[in-house]
Amino acid sequence: MKHKDFVSIHDYSAQEIAEIFALAKEMKADRNKFSNALRGKTLGMIFEKSSTRTRVSFEVGMFQMGGHALFLSSRDIQLGRGETIYDSAKVLSRYLDGIMARTFAHKTVTELAEYASIPIINGLTDLLHPCQAMTDYFTAFEKFGDLRGRKLAYVGDGNNMAHSLMYGAPKVGMDIAVATPAGYGPDLEVLARAEEDARSAGTRLIVTRSIDEAVKDADVVETDVWTSMGQEAETAKREKDFSGWQVDKRLMSLARNDAVFMHCLPAHRGEEVSAEVIDSPQSVIYDEAENRLHVQKAIMHTLMAGRGR
Ligand code: CP
Ligand code: NVA
């Protein structure tokens, strides 16, 4: 594969995504098969924000492939005290074999990718969460097989999850409907690019204010928190603006009978989703969480195996 980095699903072709899924499936089936694939390699994990799944799954993933992962909190490294991204990228490239970064500004990750000579993997920015969206489509692929012609409904904030799901849908041949309250729609540049991707893939992308329209006949219904990391000051306003935007049993009844419910987690039961739905047999939240490990191992293997510094 020609890529150095994994920053956005938009940069990858449908064929490349399919290859990553095939590798993830193989890795999930036999954990030992790849136990030496990244022997002697080290992944640096830069975190400006909290994390459970991303931190643990990347660290365990490196360990399972014979490598090592290094947790680098921005509170402790000089990047957090104003050392430039340029110098940080150049210096870290001399020690590490790859970097996973979770940041506020998306630009921090794109600049790391530009200046580092080693692979940069986006572990979530304010704009995108590509590892999670990849995992969600992989989880849907496990459940349904061929995803072409199927529909994912995303209900809630037009945030990093919405954006990466919008980029991912055309790559796996799925239609996507995104329902958000007024004022919380997706980023217009992301929307324009995703529309272009959908046009060339022959899939549908709908952005609507109607949760019922979005969820009707969906195979996957997904939501996310109303207040993302970094938006805590807006919590009260968002709770008001999102009232009525809960994925509940009534809404799920509009989806197909065999539809699954997804949420990247962490979740707030009683806010964006009712406990009845997230804890129901339709919910695949823990499969999603597990699959972060397998999909990210496949991404790391694709970018880092066989790559000398
Ligand atoms: N879904 C997800 O990225 O979880 P963490 O914030 O725990 O990493
Ligand atoms: N949209 C959420 C996702 C958390 C994994 C956030 O950015 O906080």
Side-chain angles (χ1 to χ4, degrees):
M1 229 177 259
K2 63 179 191 297
H3 302 278
K4 177 174 83 72
D5 310 299
F6 185 76
V7 170
S8 169
I9 298 176
H10 178 70
D11 303 333
Y12 280 69
S13 69
Q15 176 61 31
E16 289 166 339
I17 304 279
E19 283 170 25
I20 292 171
F21 282 3
L23 184 56
K25 191 176 167 188
E26 211 183 324
M27 287 175 156
K28 187 171 182 175
D30 183 359
R31 165 176 155 179
N32 295 323
K33 195 165 164 193
F34 295 88
S35 57
N36 277 322
L38 296 184
R39 192 164 56 158
K41 299 207 186 256
T42 306
L43 178 80
M45 307 191 298
I46 298 176
F47 281 95
E48 292 181 354
K49 294 170 170 170
S50 304
S51 171
T52 298
R53 280 144 289 268
T54 305
R55 177 175 175 181
V56 176
S57 56
F58 269 102
E59 183 159 345
V60 169
M62 277 304 287
F63 177 75
Q64 288 185 359
M65 292 190 288
H68 179 66
L70 208 55
F71 175 66
L72 304 168
S73 163
S74 66
R75 252 173 282 173
D76 304 324
I77 59 174
Q78 299 287 9
L79 187 63
R81 287 185 60 245
E83 184 166 13
T84 63
I85 296 170
Y86 184 88
D87 281 345
S88 304
K90 294 287 178 200
V91 169
L92 291 173
S93 295
R94 299 290 179 105
Y95 302 127
L96 300 168
D97 302 283
I99 292 174
M100 188 283 301
R102 167 168 285 195
T103 64
F104 289 96
H106 184 67
K107 206 159 176 265
T108 304
V109 167
T110 56
E111 287 186 7
L112 280 171
E114 185 181 346
Y115 303 134
S117 59
I118 55 175
I120 303 295
I121 300 172
N122 182 352
L124 179 149
T125 66
D126 287 346
L127 190 71
L128 299 174
H129 196 0
C131 291
Q132 183 71 52
M134 283 285 282
T135 300
D136 295 351
Y137 287 116
F138 177 77
T139 306
F141 165 69
E142 272 189 327
K143 160 90 184 157
F144 296 114
D146 190 355
L147 294 175
R148 276 175 299 180
R150 295 200 179 260
K151 176 183 178 185
L152 183 142
Y154 175 87
V155 174
D157 189 18
N159 62 13
N160 42 15
M161 273 314 303
H163 295 153
S164 283
L165 289 169
M166 284 160 60
Y167 277 152
K171 305 293 165 98
V172 297
M174 273 181 98
D175 296 332
I176 180 167
V178 176
T180 74
Y184 293 95
D187 176 88
L188 293 178
E189 273 180 34
V190 171
L191 176 60
R193 280 193 215 110
E195 276 174 340
E196 181 54 42
D197 289 348
R199 252 194 306 278
S200 52
T203 58
R204 273 157 48 97
L205 164 58
I206 301 159
V207 177
T208 173
R209 300 268 171 267
S210 162
I211 48 177
D212 288 18
E213 182 198 353
V215 172
K216 191 171 178 313
D217 296 328
D219 299 280
V220 179
V221 179
E222 177 149 1
T223 189
D224 189 14
V225 290
W226 293 338
T227 303
S228 284
M229 290 181 278
Q231 300 172 332
E232 287 77 6
E234 300 170 21
T235 303
K237 179 173 166 30
R238 283 171 171 270
E239 274 171 15
K240 208 164 101 234
D241 294 346
F242 282 90
S243 91
W245 281 76
Q246 184 179 93
V247 176
D248 57 13
K249 214 174 149 193
R250 181 202 71 81
L251 193 61
M252 284 304 289
S253 75
L254 303 179
R256 291 176 59 94
N257 282 340
D258 63 346
V260 293
F261 171 78
M262 292 196 187
H263 191 309
C264 66
L265 305 179
H268 296 88
R269 286 167 174 78
E271 291 185 21
E272 74 273 9
V273 59
S274 67
E276 199 178 18
V277 167
I278 199 169
D279 298 320
S280 76
Q282 276 180 294
S283 174
V284 293
I285 53 171
Y286 304 121
D287 293 330
E288 287 174 84
E290 178 189 332
N291 285 336
R292 288 289 300 276
L293 172 67
H294 309 300
V295 170
Q296 289 161 189
K297 279 172 73 178
I299 293 170
M300 289 191 285
H301 188 279
T302 300
L303 298 179
M304 293 168 66
R307 186 192 168 88
R309 278 201 290 125

